[in-house]
Amino acid sequence: YLAKRTHADYLVYDPGQEANRKSQLSLLGELKTAVESNQLSTYLQPKINLADGRICGVEALVRWDHPERGWIPPGQFIPFAEQTGKIRALTLWILRECMLTSCHWAALGRNVRISVNVSVNDTEDPAFAGMVQSLLEETGADAHNLCLEITESATMEAPDKVLDALRHLRSLGFKLSIDDFGTGYSSLAYLSRLPVQELKIDRSFVLRLDEADGLQIARAIVELGHVLKLDVVAEGVETQAAWDTLVELGCDQVQGFLVAKPMPIVAFDEWYKHHKGYWRDAMEKDESGQ
Ligand code: C2E
Ligand code: MG
Ligand code: MG
Ligand code: MG
């Protein structure tokens, strides 16, 4: 009786949810304008190589400065834009920004790879990889200095198309990464067929490294990643204790608020120069056993 009742309650019309949907819909309509009128900006969050403390990469994260609503976090419009296939313009916009930044860094001799989030929805379109190839030609960027992160998704409708797109992108030289690993539904068989080189442990597990199940899951993901010969990255590293545990687990790279929050490109430039290419703070603490 209780289960039935809960189910019925769930189906009841919820005006709050309806209002939320309407607001999301109107936001989506404005996304195209946002891309065209400079309301989006690219923030970068450092990735650190655990073996030597080198700042080996950054992840690009979009920020939307809406003229009336102020800053809108990506979590409030990206998932919805993905579901409705409206993500394309944003993906190409941020890719282009990152390619230009990467060219600049290559000219400085700075060996830092830029990771860009690409939606599964993008890769389901057979024309997508070709568009990315054109962007490379236009900007002159070297794909080897870029990584594309694809979230393991519950809504993957055309796995074969995705596989074709990933193979094409890989052949262009991009490093490929599976984001938020452990939260999706891909089978191990599918995973082993993907032409990827990196796996990112979802933040929800990293935040629970001090609990038995979080720790076991993280350990299993590191081991699985290494069996498949992939670099394993932990995202959402907020504490020194999490860092130390990840060193023990043999994780390859970390990213998180312990190191730095995402910051505008110019701020990252300053941050990188200030640290002379290495983030040693946590390693020194680690060595002195504090
Ligand atoms: P993601 O790709 O898994 O990115 C990591 C998210 O974790 C970012 O949130 C980042 O700010 C946050 N984060 C990093 N370190 C920490 C930490 O130590 N603690 C906590 N609590 N959070 C941390 P953000 O920037 O809000 O982005 C959310 C999601 O939106 C991203 O998750 C990604 O799926 C999506 N997204 C962001 N930018 C883009 C984009 O340009 N294109 C696409 N397709 N998706 C994007
Ligand atoms: Mg990501
Ligand atoms: Mg992630
Ligand atoms: Mg995500």
Side-chain angles (χ1 to χ4, degrees):
Y1 168 72
L2 267 181
K4 231 179 180 173
R5 188 184 161 134
T6 313
H7 183 64
D9 285 347
Y10 176 74
L11 294 174
V12 157
Y13 173 77
D14 175 355
Q17 202 179 330
E18 182 62 22
N20 197 20
R21 239 189 96 72
K22 282 207 180 106
S23 121
Q24 282 180 317
L25 272 176
S26 78
L27 258 190
L28 270 189
E30 295 171 63
L31 185 57
K32 196 167 172 284
T33 321
V35 173
E36 287 158 3
S37 62
N38 236 356
Q39 291 170 20
L40 301 183
S41 51
T42 305
Y43 274 50
L44 301 177
Q45 185 180 38
K47 289 169 77 178
I48 311 296
N49 193 23
L50 274 180
D52 56 9
R54 202 171 78 77
I55 302 162
C56 54
V58 291
E59 176 172 9
L61 295 155
V62 75
R63 297 289 180 262
W64 183 356
D65 187 9
H66 190 280
E68 282 113 43
R69 304 191 202 202
W71 287 99
I72 309 174
Q76 280 179 26
F77 63 96
I78 299 259
F80 204 60
E82 284 178 333
Q83 285 161 27
T84 53
K86 295 249 170 20
I87 190 81
R88 173 65 47 78
L90 186 149
T91 304
L92 294 175
W93 174 83
I94 199 163
L95 258 174
R96 191 168 180 280
E97 291 275 305
C98 291
M99 284 178 186
L100 293 172
T101 302
S102 179
C103 289
H104 178 212
W105 290 358
L108 295 173
R110 188 185 292 176
N111 179 19
V112 175
R113 186 184 260 125
I114 307 182
S115 294
V116 180
N117 291 286
V118 165
S119 161
V120 170
N121 195 294
D122 292 322
T123 57
E124 279 172 356
D125 179 349
F128 178 70
M131 293 180 204
V132 174
Q133 186 167 2
S134 306
L135 272 185
L136 281 175
E137 284 156 15
E138 183 212 322
T139 58
D142 182 349
H144 294 93
N145 298 329
L146 294 148
C147 172
L148 305 177
E149 296 187 3
I150 294 104
T151 300
E152 194 199 11
S153 167
T155 56
M156 207 191 279
E157 274 154 16
D160 287 328
K161 280 189 189 163
V162 173
L163 207 54
D164 284 344
L166 293 184
R167 288 194 184 117
H168 185 171
L169 292 165
R170 180 67 191 142
S171 75
L172 296 174
F174 290 98
K175 183 170 185 172
L176 301 179
S177 172
I178 303 184
D179 205 352
D180 302 345
F181 186 74
T183 60
Y185 296 84
S186 42
S187 68
L188 284 183
Y190 185 69
L191 179 66
S192 67
R193 281 174 71 208
L194 291 176
V196 298
Q197 291 72 48
E198 180 185 278
L199 204 154
K200 295 184 86 170
I201 310 173
D202 188 66
R203 182 166 92 217
S204 58
F205 306 122
V206 176
L207 289 173
R208 292 190 294 119
L209 280 176
D210 56 344
E211 291 168 34
D213 64 334
L215 177 65
Q216 300 301 350
I217 292 170
R219 174 178 287 129
I221 295 178
V222 171
E223 280 170 10
L224 173 68
H226 288 166
V227 167
L228 297 174
K229 305 213 160 37
L230 310 178
D231 293 330
V232 181
V233 181
E235 60 180 14
V237 177
E238 296 185 352
T239 63
Q240 180 65 37
W243 172 291
D244 295 343
T245 303
L246 290 159
V247 169
E248 274 170 39
L249 294 183
C251 187
D252 301 294
Q253 294 174 22
V254 298
Q255 178 185 343
F257 296 169
L258 175 70
V259 177
K261 290 199 168 168
M263 56 193 127
I265 298 176
V266 281
F268 173 78
D269 270 327
E270 287 307 311
W271 188 89
Y272 184 86
K273 279 186 225 151
H274 176 77
H275 286 86
K276 301 188 173 66
Y278 285 85
W279 199 73
R280 297 200 186 278
D281 310 23
M283 308 193 80
E284 279 157 12
K285 273 185 213 133
D286 197 28
E287 276 156 24
S288 65
Q290 276 170 8

